[in-house]
Amino acid sequence: MENILEKILATKKEEVLARKKRGLFFRPFWDYPRKSLKQALKNKDFAIIAEIKRASPSKGLIAKEFDPKMIAKVYEQAGAAAISCLTDEPFFGGHLEYLAAAREEVSLPILRKDFIIDEIQLEEARAFGADALLLIVAALSPERLKDLLKATYELGLEALVEVHDKKELEIALNAGAEIIGINNRNLKTFEVSLETSLSLAQKIPEEVVLVSESGIKDHTDILRLKEAGIRAALIGESLMRAQNKESMLGYLLKGQKLT
């Protein structure tokens, strides 16, 4: 299978160059007070970062009916600890305007989920209302990760640093990551295994907040994560496909009957 990550990053480099040429003049939420994603995740017995995601390279269009403002409100009312908003347009059907729309509607911390490779994207995240952003170890050199993490903190934002294996985990910890996301999806093949989170969880210091990402479909998966000491998960597709997102969140968190 073609390395999808490489294809995405090549496109992202072109996007970054275009953004730098035209500048970042629209900053609707630049002065908006930030909320701590890390604290929001620590405050829950089990925390769910509920994702606003329209499509993906592996599954195509996920949500035909798509209202980011309404989805964000439902997530907040249903007990999500935070919201993740995909802003990559070519591959995930996202947009920075979806991030701004969610920010207008909810008071929860919002994570900008994208393939971030440059400081201009950090500024975009702050400008459009994000409290935190995603940094993917597999997409960055260790030095670049450190630079972007430092710049993220200087902008008053937090970072979810995503890893896929033991080597990437060591790089994330050495860079000073305070929130680590273990992606159960192989970005080269897009295959998913919850075992990735279960095995890597044992190698993470207690002071680091751990989030399991991808492939979490039911309450049983949540129970398996909790048994491994994981207290947070980022969930997108299961929620986006659910007709009743509030009921789905209740099922995931508490095993409540789906309606």
Side-chain angles (χ1 to χ4, degrees):
M1 187 176 183
E2 181 184 1
N3 190 327
I4 298 173
L5 179 59
E6 288 181 4
K7 187 176 179 180
I8 291 173
L9 291 177
T11 302
K12 198 59 59 176
K13 288 176 183 176
E14 295 176 2
E15 282 184 21
V16 165
L17 287 174
R19 168 60 82 184
K20 285 183 170 181
K21 285 182 179 179
R22 68 178 181 267
L24 180 59
F25 303 107
F26 186 52
R27 302 182 175 216
F29 292 100
W30 188 264
D31 295 322
Y32 191 86
R34 304 297 142 173
K35 300 171 177 64
S36 173
L37 173 63
K38 182 178 180 180
Q39 199 57 49
L41 299 181
K42 291 174 71 174
N43 284 345
K44 299 272 189 177
D45 175 58
F46 192 92
I48 287 182
I49 305 173
E51 189 158 85
I52 299 172
K53 177 165 68 172
R54 192 173 195 174
S56 79
S58 60
K59 299 296 178 67
L61 185 65
I62 294 171
K64 292 181 180 179
E65 296 182 7
F66 186 78
D67 182 343
K69 188 173 285 192
M70 181 191 71
I71 294 168
K73 192 64 177 177
V74 169
Y75 284 163
E76 183 176 48
Q77 292 173 342
I83 289 172
S84 167
C85 184
L86 266 151
T87 59
D88 173 78
E89 195 168 354
F91 297 92
F92 289 86
H95 204 284
L96 279 166
E97 289 182 3
Y98 300 158
L99 173 60
R103 177 74 290 155
E104 287 179 347
E105 191 66 26
V106 301
S107 60
L108 295 177
I110 299 180
L111 169 79
R112 180 192 182 183
K113 195 174 181 187
D114 209 315
F115 296 82
I116 291 176
I117 57 174
D118 191 273
E119 283 79 0
I120 192 71
Q121 295 168 286
L122 310 182
E123 294 180 25
E124 287 176 337
R126 179 177 171 115
F128 282 79
D131 302 283
L133 49 87
L134 180 72
L135 294 175
I136 303 172
V137 174
L140 303 162
S141 69
E143 294 74 20
R144 195 76 189 105
L145 174 63
K146 286 182 180 180
D147 289 345
L148 288 173
L149 195 56
K150 181 174 182 288
T152 297
Y153 295 153
E154 288 173 351
L155 279 171
L157 305 177
E158 295 179 348
L160 174 65
V161 181
E162 181 176 290
V163 306
H164 300 83
D165 54 37
K166 183 180 178 181
K167 182 179 178 181
E168 291 182 5
L169 174 58
E170 290 173 355
I171 291 171
L173 291 172
N174 288 336
E178 297 180 2
I179 312 171
I180 288 180
I182 299 176
N183 195 338
N184 302 308
R185 187 185 306 279
N186 185 316
L187 286 185
K188 294 181 179 179
T189 65
F190 269 56
E191 294 176 353
V192 179
S193 173
L194 201 63
E195 294 301 322
T196 306
S197 282
L198 302 180
S199 61
L200 288 182
Q202 312 307 316
K203 300 174 174 64
I204 296 178
E206 286 186 11
E207 65 271 17
V208 174
V209 175
L210 179 58
V211 181
S212 181
E213 306 172 25
S214 300
I216 300 153
K217 299 176 180 178
D218 53 38
H219 184 59
T220 302
D221 288 339
I222 299 291
L223 293 178
R224 290 183 69 198
L225 293 174
K226 290 181 74 172
E227 286 174 7
I230 301 169
R231 292 290 181 270
L234 191 154
I235 303 177
E237 187 178 339
S238 299
L239 287 168
M240 288 302 302
R241 289 192 184 280
Q243 292 294 316
N244 187 331
K245 292 175 174 52
E246 185 171 359
S247 175
M248 187 63 182
L249 261 171
Y251 165 65
L252 288 165
L253 282 169
K254 302 174 183 178
Q256 295 174 353
K257 186 176 180 181
L258 285 168
T259 58

